[in-house]
């Protein structure tokens, strides 16, 4: 049989963690075949990979790319991960997504989604509607999605700070069950974010039990990644044990000055749980800065009722004083990012109506105008109708390295792609950065281990059968890169600069990146475990 593509003479890094070896890789009908080096197989197209590594396409296990492809018009943002070798993105993380909801709540959720995702992206009753929308938009790589708990809560209760009634919890479980049956990849929570933070442990246990029945994981942004990170990790463990769901800890970190160094305790705890038989993994991005909404810097009660209620409170001097005091004094059970760091560590990433603020810290903006930093943040949120993204420089390098090296940690960018602004460089740089800085330059990981963390481990955790490995019959998603030169190009100043050393990217047997440039091929699909 004549092959569609032959990748010849490369160093095969197959995604299993096995030592790299010389081999040719054939592609026929969207599937792979591993061939002896120098096989001379007949192919319609041959790619000379001498001196290059041939790996499975990278799987980004943690993205917020739910809506960017649906908005259109920002091709640079959409193509950034593809140029970095990412052939599949898993969205719906941190409890936030674009489905599901009770039909009666769709209009208000569509309005909230247009704020949260940076444009009118729509909102759907279930995963099937979301998948159909993505299937209608040509894309270079694949996408899969988790079901967000915060979205479920908003889709049944609304964005309110109160316990769910038994009937409301049953409705959430039913919506979750439906979307998981349609092919969603698992359940996610973002327990520092409203409205997810309004839920107690028992509510999450009930939902995670639905995921467990489908054999899909519970994926959590912990309730606290700062001073109470160990307590928050124990809550996640409790949820996993009581529900029976596999546990995946999102972007594991110990952030803020009161938590620096605590990976020396959280990582042995995770290793011990694994030794006891608990199915627990985590992901990590290779940066010491995080990124989220500026509104997450405010106490949870400030957002009770949604964006309109938040902006009304920001306009009321008395409410501002309450928020200011909450940041200064803390609130029980709340991860207080500014209280754990300071406004000098919070930089504006996206403020569409005030682009002059982007790239500057809140403390710098306040000093320029001789104002209180909280008032600067509050005024900006008010002027931007609640939609401001920030970058929080909240971690230290030693903690990042410890998590990267953990044998159960895989790689996720936590990229938050939205039109415009100055986003975190992790969206474009994560995977080449791991290969360049942490593998080649620092020697923290060997090449086979680094690739496995980006491919085989990810596919196994999220049930993506036939992906993440190069083996006979596997799906033909590949990345060809130069291990001697690969590196991230993206910086905080220029966050979408493409990487160096990523030569070719193949999705579903089609070349979508050739010599570092995107082609016109759009073979990406919606993946369902």
């Amino acid at each position: 049989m004549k092959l569609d593509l032959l990748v010849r003479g490369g160093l095969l890094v197959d995604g299993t963690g096995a030592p790299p070896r010389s081999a040719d890789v054939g592609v026929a009908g969207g599937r792979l075949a591993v061939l002896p080096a120098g096989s001379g197989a007949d192919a319609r197209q041959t790619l000379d990979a001498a001196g290059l590594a041939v790996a499975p396409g990278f799987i980004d296990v943690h993205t917020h790319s739910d809506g960017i492809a649906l908005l259109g018009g920002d091709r640079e943002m959409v193509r950034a991960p593809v140029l970095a070798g990412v052939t599949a993105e898993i969205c719906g993380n941190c409890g936030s997504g674009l489905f599901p909801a009770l039909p009666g709540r769709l209009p208000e959720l569509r309005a909230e989604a247009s704020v949260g995702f940076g444009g009118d992206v729509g909102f759907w009753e279930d995963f099937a509607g979301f998948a159909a929308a993505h299937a209608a938009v040509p894309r270079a790589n694949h996408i899969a999605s988790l079901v967000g708990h915060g979205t479920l809560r908003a889709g049944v209760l609304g964005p309110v700070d109160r316990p769910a009634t038994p009937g409301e919890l049953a409705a959430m479980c039913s919506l979750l069950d439906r979307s998981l049956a349609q092919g969603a990849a698992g359940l996610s929570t973002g327990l520092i974010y409203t409205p997810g933070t309004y839920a107690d442990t028992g509510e999450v246990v009930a939902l995670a039990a639905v995921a467990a029945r489908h054999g899909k994981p519970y994926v959590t942004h912990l309730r606290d990644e700062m001073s109470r990170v160990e307590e928050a990790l124990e809550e996640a463990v409790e949820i996993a044990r009581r529900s029976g769901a596999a546990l995946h800890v999102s972007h594991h970190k110990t952030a803020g000055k009161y938590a620096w160094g605590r990976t020396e305790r959280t990582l042995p705890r995770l290793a011990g749980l694994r030794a006891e038989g608990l199915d627990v993994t985590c992901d990590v991005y290779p940066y010491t800065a995080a990124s989220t909404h500026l509104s997450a810097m405010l106490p949870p009660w400030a957002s009770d009722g949604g964006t309109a209620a938040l902006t009304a409170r920001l306009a009321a001097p008395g409410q501002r004083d309450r928020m200011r005091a909450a940041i200064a004094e803390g609130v029980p059970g709340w991860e207080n990012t500014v209280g754990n760091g300071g406004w000098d560590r919070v930089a504006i990433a996206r403020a569409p109506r005030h682009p002059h603020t982007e790239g500057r810290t809140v403390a710098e903006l306040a000093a320029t105008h001789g104002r209180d930093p909280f008032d600067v943040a509050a005024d900006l949120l008010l002027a931007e109708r609640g939609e401001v993204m920030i970058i929080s420089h909240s971690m230290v390098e030693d903690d990042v390295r410890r998590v990267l090296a953990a044998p159960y940690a895989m790689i996720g960018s936590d990229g938050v792609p939205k039109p415009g602004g100055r986003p975190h460089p992790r969206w474009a740089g994560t995977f080449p950065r791991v290969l360049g800085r942490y593998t080649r330059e620092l020697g923290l990981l060997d090449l086979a281990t680094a690739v496995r963390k980006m491919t085989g481990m990810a596919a196994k955790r999220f049930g993506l059968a036939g992906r993440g490995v190069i083996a006979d019959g596997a799906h033909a998603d590949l990345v060809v890169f130069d291990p001697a030169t690969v590196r991230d190009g993206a910086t905080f100043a220029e966050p979408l600069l493409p990487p160096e050393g990523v030569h070719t990217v193949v999705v579903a047997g089609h070349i979508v990146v050739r010599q570092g440039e995107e082609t016109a091929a759009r073979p990406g699909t919606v993946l369902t475990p």
Side-chain angles (χ1 to χ4, degrees):
M1 179 182 68
K2 191 169 188 175
L3 298 171
D4 299 321
L5 173 66
L6 176 65
V7 183
R8 182 181 62 194
L11 182 69
L12 179 63
V13 190
D14 66 10
T16 69
R21 65 190 190 276
S22 296
D24 293 348
V25 178
V27 175
R31 298 285 178 159
L32 298 176
V34 180
L35 306 170
S39 63
D42 189 20
R44 295 180 179 85
Q45 186 175 185
T46 299
L47 173 65
D48 184 3
L52 304 177
V54 182
F58 303 144
I59 299 171
D60 190 341
V61 300
H62 192 106
T63 82
H64 296 275
S65 58
D66 312 59
I68 187 65
L70 303 178
L71 289 170
D74 198 334
R75 191 67 216 160
E76 186 181 18
M77 189 74 74
V78 173
R79 72 175 183 163
V82 183
L83 295 177
V86 173
T87 59
E89 301 166 12
I90 299 176
C91 65
N93 280 282
C94 294
S96 179
L98 293 172
F99 70 94
L102 295 175
R105 290 208 173 270
L106 287 175
E108 63 188 86
L109 289 170
R110 286 185 177 122
E112 287 285 328
S114 68
V115 173
F117 286 87
D120 186 10
V121 295
F123 202 94
W124 292 271
E125 290 184 38
D126 54 19
F127 174 76
F130 171 85
H134 272 279
V137 177
R139 54 181 301 124
N141 65 1
H142 306 301
I143 191 167
S145 184
L146 303 165
V147 182
H149 161 248
T151 302
L152 274 170
R153 207 172 206 276
V156 174
L157 284 73
V160 293
D161 183 2
R162 65 170 175 81
T165 67
E168 289 166 338
L169 182 54
M172 283 192 279
C173 288
S174 178
L175 287 170
L176 174 61
D177 181 71
R178 179 177 176 183
S179 283
L180 292 173
Q182 292 169 344
L187 169 70
S188 80
T189 56
L191 296 179
I192 75 158
Y193 298 118
T194 60
T197 192
Y198 301 147
D200 61 17
T201 302
E203 176 178 310
V204 183
V205 168
L207 291 163
V210 178
R213 289 199 296 273
H214 285 269
K216 296 178 179 180
Y218 168 55
V219 181
T220 181
H221 179 147
L222 299 174
R223 202 177 289 271
D224 196 308
E225 296 176 316
M226 292 188 163
S227 60
R228 295 169 55 247
V229 62
E230 291 163 89
E231 179 183 338
L233 178 59
E234 293 308 316
E235 180 191 30
V237 172
E238 177 186 351
I239 291 166
R241 284 176 166 161
R242 287 172 58 187
S243 69
L247 173 62
H248 183 81
V249 179
S250 294
H251 45 57
H252 183 44
K253 63 175 77 77
T254 53
K257 59 188 176 184
Y258 302 114
W260 290 338
R262 289 206 200 174
T263 54
E264 293 184 319
R265 298 204 290 267
T266 60
L267 293 175
R269 175 61 173 150
L270 289 171
L273 290 164
R274 287 174 58 83
E276 294 168 9
L278 187 70
D279 185 357
V280 55
T281 52
C282 69
D283 62 67
V284 59
Y285 49 82
Y287 297 88
T288 57
S291 183
T292 190
H293 296 272
L294 179 58
S295 58
M297 305 299 101
L298 307 180
W301 56 260
S303 295
D304 183 8
T307 302
L310 169 64
T311 54
R313 291 187 182 101
L314 289 169
Q319 294 293 312
R320 281 200 187 189
D321 289 342
R322 284 186 64 203
M323 295 180 208
R324 197 189 329 266
I327 292 171
E329 300 166 9
V331 174
W334 170 47
E335 177 186 281
N336 183 357
T337 299
V338 176
N340 280 275
W343 288 112
D344 59 323
R345 291 180 172 270
V346 177
I348 305 302
R350 181 177 183 273
R353 299 172 185 83
H354 301 78
H356 64 280
T357 66
E358 294 170 355
R360 304 184 67 190
T361 69
V362 173
E364 288 171 344
L365 293 169
T368 298
H369 300 286
R371 303 187 62 213
D372 177 72
F374 176 82
D375 284 324
V376 169
D379 284 348
L380 189 58
L381 277 168
L382 193 59
E384 294 284 351
R385 302 171 193 169
E387 177 51 23
V388 180
M389 295 298 300
I390 58 102
I391 292 172
S392 172
H393 294 271
S394 57
M395 291 165 273
V396 292
E397 179 72 9
D398 285 350
D399 285 320
V400 172
R401 293 189 192 185
R402 277 190 283 267
V403 183
L404 279 168
Y408 46 81
M410 57 200 74
I411 308 302
S413 71
D414 197 11
V416 190
K418 297 186 180 186
R422 193 179 294 185
H424 195 302
R426 63 194 182 185
W427 178 237
T430 286
F431 292 85
R433 184 174 176 82
V434 170
L435 292 169
R437 175 171 171 76
Y438 291 96
T439 301
R440 182 183 64 250
E441 295 175 6
L442 298 178
L444 183 69
L445 306 169
D446 62 68
L447 185 60
T449 298
V451 168
R452 178 172 173 263
K453 286 174 174 286
M454 302 173 176
T455 58
M457 285 181 68
K460 181 178 180 182
R461 167 47 85 210
F462 292 96
L464 302 179
R467 300 186 189 276
V469 294
I470 296 179
D472 291 341
H475 291 281
D477 299 336
L478 300 170
V479 58
V480 180
F481 63 92
D482 185 348
T485 64
V486 64
R487 62 177 293 276
D488 56 313
T491 66
F492 287 99
E494 296 185 85
L496 294 177
L497 287 178
E500 296 177 13
V502 178
H503 286 242
T504 304
V505 181
V506 177
V507 174
H510 299 268
I511 295 177
V512 298
V513 173
R514 179 184 285 111
Q515 294 298 313
E517 297 291 334
E518 191 179 30
T519 72
R522 297 290 181 268
T525 60
V526 178
L527 302 182
T528 56

